[in-house]
Amino acid sequence: MLPPAMKTSAPVLILCALAAGARAAIVTRPVAYEQGGVKLEGYLAYDDGTKTPRPGVLVVPEWWGLNDYAKGRARQLAALGYVAFAVDMYGAGVVTTDANKAKELSGQFYGKPLMAERAQAALDQLLATQLVDPRRVAAIGYCFGGATCQVLAYSGAPLVGIVSFHGSLVPASPEAAAKNRARFLICHGGADAFTAPEALAAFRKSLEDGKIDYEIAIYAGASHSFTNPEADALGAANKLPISYNEPADRRSWALMQQFFHEIFAVKH
Amino acid sequence: MLPPAMKTSAPVLILCALAAGARAAIVTRPVAYEQGGVKLEGYLAYDDGTKTPRPGVLVVPEWWGLNDYAKGRARQLAALGYVAFAVDMYGAGVVTTDANKAKELSGQFYGKPLMAERAQAALDQLLATQLVDPRRVAAIGYCFGGATCQVLAYSGAPLVGIVSFHGSLVPASPEAAAKNRARFLICHGGADAFTAPEALAAFRKSLEDGKIDYEIAIYAGASHSFTNPEADALGAANKLPISYNEPADRRSWALMQQFFHEIFAVKH
């Protein structure tokens, strides 16, 4: 509030704003770590203008590996004010655009303890940066990455929320539901050819039975991989029914932000 | 932007703000109209501080009739800047808290042309106020009211969007889908005992097949009537499995607002 009759000099105010803005920038850096005897390289992104601990978000990539798409999402999250860590599930530098290779790489994880363990190692790295508030950590994931987020949550990891974007759906066993601490936001394509309606219904039933606090958002006409602008090209090259859907991408990203505002709200 | 070195007098600014704010108020009034030989009374609510046409929103009540709950929602929408019209489906003053009576009253409409015709009459009244931009009209509905919104949209009414809160789900026939002009937001309770999972799946399939632009949001543990704080009392009195769910209410209302921002955005 300005004191009465104070002279306001607009040029001074503008300079102050510019000076403050100039110091804040999105910084990114590779993070070398290891899990299960495999050398990994994650990707950290955050706005260095903020010094206080803030919410952290893991980004678990699609089955193609930690590629530019996953890194771009980490930078977007950093621009929103979060400390983002794009997870390396496969090994330093291991990425592919070949579906057969991707299937082989991701196949190491489904149904195995390794899925949660490999993701937990990334969570440990994110916490080790000392940039995040450990009470406000979430994980988002795409396709295979979405399944990984669910499984990480089921392992009892200290996550307040997960967001699965066109993720494979992993039903929660009673034990998993009992250990889970996260709220779930499941964004699913209405035309996702990889998940039968019955599987979606069974997944949802498992969350209801396990009293997991979830929200499932289903987007009209959206295929698997609907958030990835490269999906059509990847689909054509690999003969897979995947494609980008801009409205679903935009709406699910907006819903994620609403979700984050809720789960990251400071509890009094 | 202030000119350089302009004297700013805080008290004057505050007085100006108060003067502007004092003129804006939520006004409400009953609106008498008629349809099909039945005298009806709707409820109009809007902020009279704005003079330019703005988006209009119909509110179609639960099967209990146009009661205080529906009127409250109309006032909430007015506070958000919309012109709201709570629809009278039954007849002036006809409300009930008895489920048998409600079933009888709402039963006049399901599967009949009357459902769309009665709602269309309310839409006509909303447009007749001259307060709304006819290119930006939506309808929200609760339970029976949600079904009514779907049916109104299927009749080809000039709606840009509908929001169904724990509505009965009416599958879209190919003809209905062809006539529909609205985007659908379907907010559904994960524990809604009135809609079997198979019915939800069939409903969704009809929207996909009809290429309707929809988003379905399913809320964990929420029963039918999850948006109504009176649901538990009404459920107890009528032995119905309905109850209020504050998180689902809050989240679905927030999602509706996001939906409105999208559908009401001025197209350039």
Side-chain angles (χ1 to χ4, degrees), chain A residues 1-11 13-14 183 188-191 197 200-201 204 208 212-222 247 250-252 254-255 258 262, chain B residues 1-11 13-14 183 188-191 197 200-201 204 208 212-222 247 250-252 254-255 258 262:
Chain A
M1 294 287 287
L2 296 176
M6 175 177 135
K7 281 190 185 172
T8 306
S9 173
L13 287 177
I14 291 168
R183 187 174 167 236
H188 191 76
L200 174 60
R204 182 162 82 75
E208 275 290 329
I212 289 178
D213 186 4
Y214 70 86
E215 182 174 335
I216 295 176
I218 308 175
Y219 299 94
R250 175 167 32 87
R251 294 163 186 166
S252 57
L255 188 57
Q258 196 173 292
E262 177 174 342
Chain B
M1 292 285 286
L2 296 176
M6 176 177 132
K7 283 192 185 168
T8 306
S9 173
L13 288 176
I14 291 168
R183 187 175 167 236
H188 191 76
L200 173 60
R204 183 164 80 76
E208 276 290 328
I212 288 178
D213 187 4
Y214 70 86
E215 182 174 337
I216 295 176
I218 308 175
Y219 298 93
R250 175 168 31 87
R251 294 162 186 164
S252 57
L255 188 56
Q258 195 173 292
E262 178 175 339

Side-chain angles (χ1 to χ4, degrees), chain A residues 45-120:
Chain A
Y46 62 97
D47 183 328
D48 74 352
T50 308
K51 297 306 173 199
T52 53
R54 73 211 90 148
V57 184
L58 293 180
V59 180
V60 195
E62 292 181 303
W63 73 351
W64 310 112
L66 177 37
N67 54 15
D68 289 341
Y69 174 70
K71 291 176 183 173
R73 289 296 182 187
R75 289 192 298 272
Q76 275 186 288
L77 289 167
L80 290 175
Y82 305 120
V83 180
F85 188 92
V87 175
D88 181 2
M89 292 293 284
Y90 291 166
V94 178
V95 292
T96 182
T97 53
D98 179 85
N100 291 318
K101 185 67 182 165
K103 190 172 183 180
E104 186 190 315
L105 288 164
S106 60
Q108 307 170 69
F109 298 96
Y110 282 104
K112 312 271 193 344
L114 183 63
M115 200 178 213
E117 290 165 358
R118 184 66 49 91
Q120 179 69 48

Side-chain angles (χ1 to χ4, degrees), chain A residues 58 123 135 137-139 149 152-153 156-162 180-183:
Chain A
L58 293 180
L123 178 52
R135 300 163 303 170
V137 181
C149 288
L152 180 61
L159 301 170
V160 287
I162 66 160
N180 173 64
R181 305 195 235 173
R183 187 174 167 236

